[in-house]
Amino acid sequence: MSNTFTMVGGEGPNSYQQHSKYQGALLEAAKEKINEAISTKLDIDLTPSLVNIADFGCSTGPNTFAAVQTIVDAVENKYQKDIEFQVFFNDSSNNDFNTLFNTLPPSRRYFATGVPGSFFGRVLPKNSFHVGVSSYSLHFVSKIPKGIKDRNSPVWNKDIHCTGFSKKVANLYRDQYKIDVGSFLNARAQELVSGGLLLLLGSCLPNGVLMSETVNGMMIDFIGSSLDEMAKQGLIDQEKLDTFKLPIYLAHADELKGIIEENKCFTTELFESIRHAKGEYPLDPEYLMLTFKVTVGGTVASQFGQDVMEKTFELVKEKTQEMLPQIAKAKPGMQYLIVLRKN
Ligand SMILES: C[S@@+](CC[C@H](N)C(=O)[O-])C[C@H]1O[C@@H](n2cnc3c(N)ncnc32)[C@H](O)[C@@H]1O
């Protein structure tokens, strides 16, 4: 499933490239902390004078370019010498790598390489990168847990994601997430040089908060209820919808912390909640709808077709408009920056 869950490609008005400012805001807000972490915690051998940077789950840009530039600047600032940089851009093989390469910043000071493949396994040679980053990519699971898609199963989930209301469903998603993040960390631990850093950024849930109590959860609930309406109108098959589940799991902060600690391959140098420059999402139905259309829309289109996807997101926008007062009262989610150092 993760192989089909890519962002909407291209540079058009409905592309991830045009509507990923929410994700980009976290990188901007975390810039100073990243600079500080590289300045004080990175401890690598610079002979030869080459630093390899890797971005896991890079999508098309521009956020990946911002992340890489922050790292390049911080490394140059720390070592104050001529360094050559090689950047490995990793994502699933069906990511729009053409757009990524066509829009590489012309003034970049690094060589660029595409690395297709799932980051839940090894995608680079052993000891091959010095600083890695993964931003808004670690809330995916590699597969939907067993039973969740099966109408006849006691753990069938009628919702399209893990809302948090069913403990049994949440536990199954959490178990899969634990396996996947463990695999991600084990793979990175082999690929990262000793003394190198892995920077993780993204969204999780504050402890005790349910997914559907946050704006992220509410927006996915609106996508689910819009798809329900499409099924009622006979535009999509109800049985197909019953098995349609998103491979997304936002962990609670303590769950994520626990998984990293249990893994033991890294020392946690920083685990911090970062506030976006603009706080939570702006209360703008068009902005909210588009932010989710460019992330989830591709998967909806691959299951139900482009027309259904377009109609679904028109409904999502209407629902978002109607529900603005509830969205305004949503519980805040949590954005994090985690800095891990290879032991
Ligand atoms: C929300 S985008 C984040 C893109 C970018 N890092 C940013 O901060 O804007 C998540 C990316 O993770 C990628 N992804 C999800 N699962 C993956 C996997 N198993 N292996 C590699 N990439 C994956 C998706 O294809 C997508 O491009």
Side-chain angles (χ1 to χ4, degrees):
M1 186 78 181
S2 69
N3 238 12
T4 60
F5 200 103
T6 43
M7 304 301 102
V8 175
E11 297 177 68
N14 286 324
S15 60
Y16 186 76
Q17 205 226 33
Q18 296 292 325
H19 297 287
S20 49
K21 292 187 179 60
Y22 176 77
Q23 291 83 350
L26 175 59
L27 282 160
E28 188 56 38
K31 215 171 178 172
E32 266 317 300
K33 300 259 173 208
I34 293 175
N35 193 27
E36 196 182 314
I38 288 178
S39 162
T40 56
K41 307 294 180 192
L42 182 67
D43 183 14
I44 51 174
D45 178 10
L46 266 187
T47 42
S49 204
L50 168 70
V51 169
N52 292 326
I53 296 169
D55 184 357
F56 301 94
C58 60
S59 190
T60 49
N63 298 340
T64 185
F65 306 136
V68 164
Q69 195 54 52
T70 297
I71 296 169
V72 166
D73 290 344
V75 171
E76 281 186 332
N77 194 30
K78 176 182 171 89
Y79 291 103
Q80 298 286 326
K81 61 185 266 195
D82 260 351
I83 298 170
E84 287 206 300
F85 292 92
Q86 169 79 44
V87 179
F88 299 114
F89 291 98
N90 160 256
D91 207 293
S92 303
S93 52
N94 54 343
N95 179 54
D96 184 1
F97 280 102
N98 282 333
T99 293
L100 176 83
F101 292 134
N102 283 331
T103 54
L104 279 166
S107 59
R108 68 190 177 278
R109 302 194 300 279
Y110 51 82
F111 298 96
T113 308
V115 179
S118 172
F119 54 44
F120 293 129
R122 287 276 306 282
V123 289
L124 290 170
K126 283 185 182 160
N127 300 312
S128 60
F129 75 92
H130 303 89
V131 184
V133 62
S134 187
S135 177
Y136 280 103
S137 303
L138 260 197
H139 51 274
F140 293 101
V141 284
S142 63
K143 57 175 182 253
I144 304 296
K146 206 162 176 261
I148 294 283
K149 294 204 271 186
D150 177 1
R151 258 215 87 118
N152 301 317
S153 145
V155 287
W156 175 63
N157 183 20
K158 70 174 172 42
D159 299 298
I160 63 168
H161 72 126
C162 181
T163 60
F165 292 116
S166 159
K167 195 89 195 123
K168 278 186 191 158
V169 168
N171 285 346
L172 286 173
Y173 266 96
R174 186 205 55 211
D175 292 349
Q176 184 59 48
Y177 178 79
K178 203 171 162 184
I179 293 170
D180 289 334
V181 175
S183 306
F184 176 93
L185 293 175
N186 288 339
R188 300 301 80 79
Q190 291 187 59
E191 297 163 351
L192 183 59
V193 301
S194 181
L197 297 181
L198 183 59
L199 315 170
L200 306 176
L201 300 104
S203 286
C204 66
L205 294 170
N207 297 325
V209 171
L210 306 182
M211 179 71 170
S212 286
E213 295 175 323
T214 66
V215 179
N216 278 323
M218 286 180 179
M219 290 304 298
I220 300 177
D221 287 339
F222 298 158
I223 299 170
S225 54
S226 299
L227 285 167
D228 280 339
E229 281 184 36
M230 302 296 280
K232 279 193 197 111
Q233 290 174 26
L235 295 171
I236 57 175
D237 181 36
Q238 183 66 51
E239 271 183 35
K240 196 169 176 188
L241 178 56
D242 287 347
T243 64
F244 178 72
K245 310 291 160 208
L246 297 175
I248 289 176
Y249 178 74
L250 264 73
H252 287 103
D254 277 355
E255 269 170 19
L256 184 53
K257 214 178 250 176
I259 296 170
I260 294 169
E261 273 163 19
E262 239 175 69
N263 177 268
K264 295 194 170 63
C265 295
F266 299 91
T267 306
T268 305
E269 300 290 353
L270 188 78
F271 192 115
E272 202 162 293
S273 168
I274 303 273
R275 269 195 76 73
H276 269 209
K278 295 183 190 132
E280 277 283 301
Y281 288 101
L283 282 176
D284 173 349
E286 174 84 3
Y287 180 102
L288 282 162
M289 181 275 285
L290 280 170
T291 299
F292 284 82
K293 188 177 181 185
V294 300
T295 48
V296 180
T299 303
V300 173
S302 74
Q303 290 295 305
F304 303 108
Q306 189 67 22
D307 273 4
V308 166
M309 189 278 277
E310 295 293 346
K311 288 199 179 86
T312 303
F313 279 88
E314 280 167 26
L315 288 176
V316 169
K317 190 174 160 193
E318 284 170 24
K319 285 179 198 291
T320 310
Q321 178 75 57
E322 274 166 35
M323 300 296 280
L324 273 188
Q326 277 85 337
I327 297 175
K329 285 189 248 156
K331 292 192 180 168
M334 177 177 152
Q335 326 305 323
Y336 60 80
L337 166 65
I338 304 171
V339 178
L340 303 179
R341 192 162 175 276
K342 164 100 172 271
N343 287 334

